[in-house]
Amino acid sequence: ILASFSTLINELIEPCLKDEHNLEPIGQPTLVLGAEELAKMFEPGKPVDLAITCDVWPDVKWKDVEGQEKPYFGLTGKYKRKPFNEARFNKALGDLKDKYATLSDMEEGKALEMGDACVVNMVGYMAQEDGKTKGEPLPNAASGDSVEVILGEGRYMEGLVEGLIGAKVGETKEIYVSFPEKLRDKTLAGKKAVFDVEVASGSIRTVPEVTDEFAAIVREGLTAETLVSELRKAIDEEDLKEFVEERNKALAKSLAERLDCEVPDTIVTNQAREKYSEMMTDFRDNGMADEEIKKMITPENFLKYKDIEKPDVVRDFKVSMATDEIARLEGIEVPANAVDEQMANLRKEAGDSEFDENKMRASVESTLQRRLVYDFLSEHSNLEVEYVDEEGGFDENLMNQLAEESLQREKELEKQAAEVDAAASEEEPEPVVEAEPEPEPKDVEARVVEETSVSAPAPVAEEKDFDSMDLEDKAFNILVDLGMVDKTPDPDSPDYDHSTDDEIC
């Protein structure tokens, strides 16, 4: 009878929940009454009611958000990224203007200037040690006729443009150059050379200004304002790729708070179990013995781990539900070619290794869809962006605050030291007495307690002039005072320990 009830539970209950109650069970349903009690109530030929309990997938319910068109609009949060790359924008705009530059004939006898263009015939030689005397002829690839040259900084090998400034059409100039260190031809990389350069023709090169007329040439319908705006957006989006994960974390945290649903404990348990297994696997991969790992795998340890991981599991589950629902509501779909491209990359990386194509494709599509949802949410969010320098740097206000605290600690130490000295000077000398027999030795613990119970005079802190220090020195000295870093011992000091010199070397 017990086996029959188990079969009924496995074969009938799950379809009943789905078909009759429109519920999606999670995990294994369990009987409210035990199978043994049901067996006692069972009478052959008569129906039996089975009451069960199980977790089910929750419905997506959004919290009410005032002032927003949709409950997932206006997400708030904060993330860090580097400031807009103005230098990169200026270069991109300059390159675009250069692309549409126009050439006009140069007046006869006019000397070439920076920004002009010319056509030259070049014959090159390796330079000898002095950098100016001609040596062996350069390979044909390094020389040539009818070479177009635009006189602009950083365009060619060092010295070529500078040598052409002031030249006139018909002149031949001897120009000394240096090939770039990163030249593909390693026989020439970093070497010096001498060129005989004949100026065959010259042109005045005019770079357009960014106007509505120029923008319309670049693309019909563009204005100067929209061109600059689109270019800035493109540059910013390219830089944002480095920080998109931080942005998405902020969006996810806010999105999870907008969802009003309880996450079933079965999901928390299953997710925590997977993470717990991964953690144990990492321990093994890092060299921990199996016996030690087995000691850690106990119900008590798992429950502690589950409690720690629960907030993250709940948040991740809510975010997963919310992004799937937003994709459905907003019609956000991943282009098939984007999935195909990612799958091709994965196959290439996998090489001869096999993987489940269908499972991997579903995972890739889910990941790409979530990215598209985050991009959509970002456009309708109120995220606060904290711009930080790419190189990082010191927080000067924090450094000043720490400096004040450090100086205050030094004053306290000086005060304590002064009090100790004053107390010592007031004590009268003790009378000389005959030596008493040495007391019996005490246990080690008592001796240690006795020896450490007497306070030694507090050392007088070294006076530091923070005002005269630059920011880096100030920060270093504060960290030394806080005990977070140690100063490197001075080998010239009489107190320096030279016993480890060989080891250090």
Side-chain angles (χ1 to χ4, degrees):
I1 294 177
L2 292 176
S4 299
F5 277 124
S6 298
T7 303
L8 283 173
I9 292 171
N10 292 331
E11 294 184 1
L12 301 179
I13 289 180
E14 187 168 330
C16 174
L17 288 170
K18 291 181 177 180
D19 300 338
E20 297 184 22
H21 299 280
N22 196 29
L23 296 174
E24 187 73 28
I26 303 173
Q28 181 66 36
T30 57
L31 291 164
V32 174
L33 292 177
E36 292 184 3
E37 294 184 48
L38 287 172
K40 293 176 183 177
M41 298 166 54
F42 174 71
E43 294 183 29
K46 293 186 178 181
V48 60
D49 292 330
L50 299 180
I52 63 160
T53 179
C54 69
D55 282 332
V56 296
W57 286 96
D59 295 327
V60 176
K61 295 180 181 179
W62 299 98
K63 294 180 180 178
D64 293 330
V65 182
E66 293 184 6
Q68 296 297 334
E69 179 185 349
K70 298 179 181 180
Y72 40 84
F73 279 10
L75 297 178
T76 58
K78 185 176 182 179
Y79 73 99
K80 295 181 179 180
R81 59 159 295 180
K82 63 184 179 184
F84 181 77
N85 194 332
E86 202 71 42
R88 188 174 178 185
F89 165 76
N90 290 334
K91 184 179 185 308
L93 185 59
D95 290 345
L96 181 64
K97 291 162 63 178
D98 274 346
K99 182 179 178 182
Y100 290 90
T102 58
L103 299 178
S104 58
D105 294 335
M106 182 177 286
E107 294 179 7
E108 188 176 348
K110 185 179 184 301
L112 291 173
E113 298 177 357
M114 188 67 77
D116 289 339
C118 60
V119 175
V120 300
N121 302 317
M122 304 172 60
V123 179
Y125 307 86
M126 292 297 297
Q128 296 188 11
E129 291 185 5
D130 61 1
K132 295 184 178 182
T133 304
K134 296 176 183 176
E136 292 294 322
L138 288 174
N140 291 335
S143 300
D145 293 336
S146 300
V147 179
E148 295 183 6
V149 178
I150 297 173
L151 303 187
E153 294 181 0
R155 287 179 175 268
Y156 311 99
M157 48 195 167
E158 182 183 342
L160 178 61
V161 170
E162 293 79 0
L164 284 170
I165 297 296
K168 298 178 181 178
V169 176
E171 286 186 355
T172 299
K173 297 194 68 175
E174 188 173 85
I175 298 176
Y176 313 109
V177 305
S178 298
F179 287 107
E181 293 285 348
K182 296 182 179 180
L183 197 67
R184 288 185 181 180
D185 186 345
K186 298 307 177 186
T187 61
L188 299 178
K191 301 292 179 61
K192 295 184 180 298
V194 182
F195 279 90
D196 290 332
V197 182
E198 178 193 2
V199 182
S201 66
S203 302
I204 296 174
R205 189 167 174 273
T206 304
V207 178
E209 296 296 325
V210 180
T211 61
D212 290 343
E213 291 76 14
F214 169 70
I217 295 172
V218 174
R219 193 177 76 227
E220 186 177 353
L222 272 183
T223 65
E225 183 179 353
T226 53
L227 184 150
V228 170
S229 177
E230 286 189 14
L231 187 57
R232 292 185 74 89
K233 183 180 179 182
I235 295 294
D236 198 48
E237 287 178 349
E238 187 65 28
D239 286 344
L240 180 60
K241 289 179 182 178
E242 185 180 344
F243 300 90
V244 73
E245 186 176 346
E246 293 299 317
R247 182 205 68 179
N248 291 350
K249 284 181 182 178
L251 289 170
K253 182 178 179 181
S254 182
L255 183 62
E257 294 170 355
R258 295 285 181 92
L259 214 58
D260 188 11
C261 66
E262 291 294 327
V263 178
D265 185 67
T266 302
I267 289 177
V268 177
T269 301
N270 291 343
Q271 290 294 315
R273 187 178 290 120
E274 287 184 16
K275 291 188 174 186
Y276 196 64
S277 298
E278 290 172 2
M279 183 174 70
M280 295 300 118
T281 303
D282 289 341
F283 286 156
R284 170 183 279 179
D285 292 343
N286 289 327
M288 182 179 285
D290 286 351
E291 291 302 318
E292 293 298 319
I293 295 175
K294 288 177 183 177
K295 292 178 184 178
M296 299 175 65
I297 304 176
T298 65
E300 294 79 11
N301 284 345
F302 173 72
L303 289 176
K304 291 178 183 177
Y305 180 81
K306 177 184 170 182
D307 288 340
I308 293 171
E309 286 294 316
K310 183 175 180 178
D312 289 342
V313 172
V314 168
R315 184 185 64 248
D316 292 346
F317 180 78
K318 286 184 174 182
V319 169
S320 179
M321 285 186 64
T323 51
D324 288 346
E325 179 69 0
I326 292 169
R328 184 185 69 81
L329 293 173
E330 300 293 341
I332 298 174
E333 297 181 356
V334 181
N337 64 325
V339 180
D340 292 339
E341 184 180 340
Q342 289 293 324
M343 290 298 295
N345 292 335
L346 289 172
R347 292 189 198 99
K348 186 177 180 181
E349 291 176 6
D352 297 333
S353 303
E354 295 183 0
F355 59 86
D356 188 329
E357 288 259 349
N358 293 331
K359 185 177 180 181
M360 184 61 70
R361 188 176 186 86
S363 176
V364 167
E365 187 170 0
S366 175
T367 301
L368 294 177
Q369 185 184 62
R370 182 172 293 196
R371 289 177 185 172
L372 292 176
V373 170
Y374 279 136
D375 290 342
F376 170 79
L377 292 174
S378 178
E379 293 176 1
H380 298 87
S381 72
N382 295 323
L383 289 182
E384 181 183 349
V385 183
E386 181 182 349
Y387 292 98
V388 294
D389 291 335
E390 186 176 4
E391 301 296 329
F394 292 103
D395 183 334
E396 189 162 2
N397 291 330
L398 177 62
M399 289 297 104
N400 290 330
Q401 179 184 343
L402 291 174
E404 289 295 328
E405 293 174 359
S406 181
L407 287 171
Q408 189 62 37
R409 282 193 300 274
E410 290 181 5
K411 290 178 181 178
E412 289 294 327
L413 289 172
E414 291 174 359
K415 182 179 178 182
Q416 292 173 14
E419 290 174 353
V420 170
D421 291 341
S425 63
E426 291 175 1
E427 292 179 2
E428 295 183 3
E430 295 182 1
V432 179
V433 295
E434 294 182 3
E436 295 182 359
E438 187 175 342
E440 291 294 323
K442 300 180 182 179
D443 60 88
V444 173
E445 183 178 353
R447 287 176 61 189
V448 170
V449 170
E450 248 185 20
E451 290 172 3
T452 57
S453 63
V454 181
S455 298
V460 178
E462 177 187 352
E463 181 100 19
K464 294 186 178 71
D465 182 10
F466 284 101
D467 292 336
S468 64
M469 298 180 186
D470 60 27
L471 204 53
E472 287 80 359
D473 287 340
K474 186 188 297 185
F476 173 75
N477 279 277
I478 290 169
L479 294 176
V480 170
D481 289 345
L482 293 174
M484 296 172 71
V485 297
D486 296 324
K487 278 188 173 179
T488 303
D490 180 7
D492 295 328
S493 169
D495 299 325
Y496 181 76
D497 180 10
H498 290 274
S499 62
T500 58
D501 284 358
D502 291 340
E503 180 183 345
I504 291 171
C505 289

